[in-house]
Amino acid sequence: MKTVVIIGGGFSGISVANKLALKTKRKDVKIVLIEPKDMHVYEPQLLFWIFKDYTLSKFSKPIEKILSPKVNWLQTSATKINDKNQSIDLSNGETIQYDYLIIATGAKMVEEKVNATSENNVHHFYHPKAAEKLQKVLKEFKEGTIVFTPTTVPYKCPPAAVEFVLLLDTYLRKKKIRDKVKIKYLYPLMRPYPTPNVAVKVQELLDKRGIEFVEFFNFEDVDKENSKVISLEGDEIEYDMLVIIPPHEGHDLIKDSNLGDREGFVITDKETLKVKEKEKIYAIGDCTNLPVSKSGAVAHFSSNTLVKNMLSELKGKESNYSYNGKTICFIVTSFRRSLLLDFNYKKPPRSYGLHNSFIFGLFKKLFKIAYFQALIKGYM
């Protein structure tokens, strides 16, 4: 019997564990998932939750409800990966051996690096507690300037920056206070989205909604006493509320195990999903340094390649399957409409998706149902 250990119980880790469980027999392969948390949150919904009044339970589920019974779940944390002797140290003091390892630790938010606290009137929506605080503050906001900026790149879900300011505009219009609130969108590039053809459409939407775009703004610091956000270039912009995308890094586990780049993201082959220069280790999801979006869609499409390669190795065959960078994602433009982006490593988003469509908006809403019923359970 071979042992496959998966570190991380986010979408990447659970979906890969479930796919392997569906395609292997217990007598042949032992699948182990290491994850300390007991609840799984559908993270794309956090952005909508800011503007809606419902409970977290609407978009979260106990891990035991979505994890295959064929997977051995260790509810603890990994503290060190020892790739030379193929072992993992755990926070409970134990050590386990693996034949194959899949790293799916995701990205870590490091708010403390940028004075990002609600006490300083600096907010974000990248984990439930932060999103809930922002939700409460927005309910009480009446007038002034709301500034939004990423603090670093890369970050999870590239469309989230544009989505926030567009949904904020819609939200304020519904409250009939849009004329009392100025929205500023700061971005490190000369255009409001990394991909040129998408950026043109985004700029049209920003102009139409009266959202001010500030180009080449590279976040440096927050002057909390004077309520100003400061760029590397020395520009200072005043705010009444500042919303950021906090800095993203790889987890300490990756850094401590010497498996990451300077930011702690796992050095991963973009096609095979194997960790470079390491034997019998794969990586998937936001923890990798793949040259593509950090998103659930990338994790989903790349998981098919990873699982095929893993199954080949378990059978003693060569693992030659390749991931081409395929991803599909939505840019939500209102509570009912979206753009649809479909691209890969070599091809930019196609023009058919750049229509601000009600149909794409409906697809986005239905995606949450598919997420829990099929995607994370490994059926797709």
Side-chain angles (χ1 to χ4, degrees), residues 90-225:
L90 304 176
S91 60
N92 61 11
E94 298 179 1
T95 298
I96 63 169
Q97 300 291 138
Y98 66 83
D99 293 292
Y100 295 95
L101 172 64
I102 300 171
I103 302 173
T105 48
K108 181 179 72 170
M109 307 298 109
V110 282
E111 301 100 314
E112 64 274 9
K113 285 192 172 184
V114 293
N115 287 325
T117 65
S118 57
E119 289 76 17
N120 298 339
N121 207 16
V122 182
H123 302 272
H124 72 87
F125 48 85
Y126 270 75
H127 60 63
K129 287 184 178 179
E132 188 173 26
K133 285 183 180 179
L134 179 53
Q135 180 193 76
K136 292 177 180 177
V137 171
L138 278 174
K139 283 182 181 178
E140 299 172 358
F141 196 85
K142 304 299 182 185
E143 60 181 343
T145 300
I146 300 178
V147 174
F148 177 86
T149 183
T151 58
T152 58
V153 291
Y155 52 83
K156 293 196 288 184
C157 189
V162 174
E163 290 178 325
F164 173 77
V165 293
L166 293 175
L167 289 177
L168 176 63
D169 170 81
T170 304
Y171 173 79
L172 296 173
R173 290 179 190 278
K174 286 190 173 184
K175 290 184 68 175
K176 301 187 186 304
I177 59 171
R178 180 64 179 92
D179 60 330
K180 298 179 181 179
V181 181
K182 182 180 291 186
I183 303 174
K184 292 188 177 184
Y185 173 46
L186 321 182
Y187 205 63
L189 303 178
M190 68 177 293
R191 51 182 180 259
Y193 197 81
T195 311
N197 63 334
V198 179
V200 171
K201 183 63 180 180
V202 169
Q203 187 65 65
E204 290 176 2
L205 291 169
L206 296 177
D207 292 342
K208 183 179 179 180
R209 306 282 189 89
I211 297 168
E212 182 181 345
F213 171 57
V214 179
E215 64 184 15
F216 292 128
F217 190 95
N218 292 281
F219 178 93
E220 168 68 10
D221 201 2
V222 177
D223 179 351
K224 58 185 179 181
E225 293 182 359

Side-chain angles (χ1 to χ4, degrees), residues 43 51 54 78 88 96 112 126-127 136 141 145 154 160 162 168 192 219 221 232 234 236 266 273 278 293 333 339 342:
E43 291 186 355
F51 306 106
Y54 48 80
I88 302 165
I96 63 169
E112 64 274 9
Y126 270 75
H127 60 63
K136 292 177 180 177
F141 196 85
T145 300
V162 174
L168 176 63
F219 178 93
D221 201 2
L232 284 168
E236 299 182 358
V266 183
L273 283 304
K278 301 295 178 182
S293 306
T333 59
L339 309 178
D342 176 5

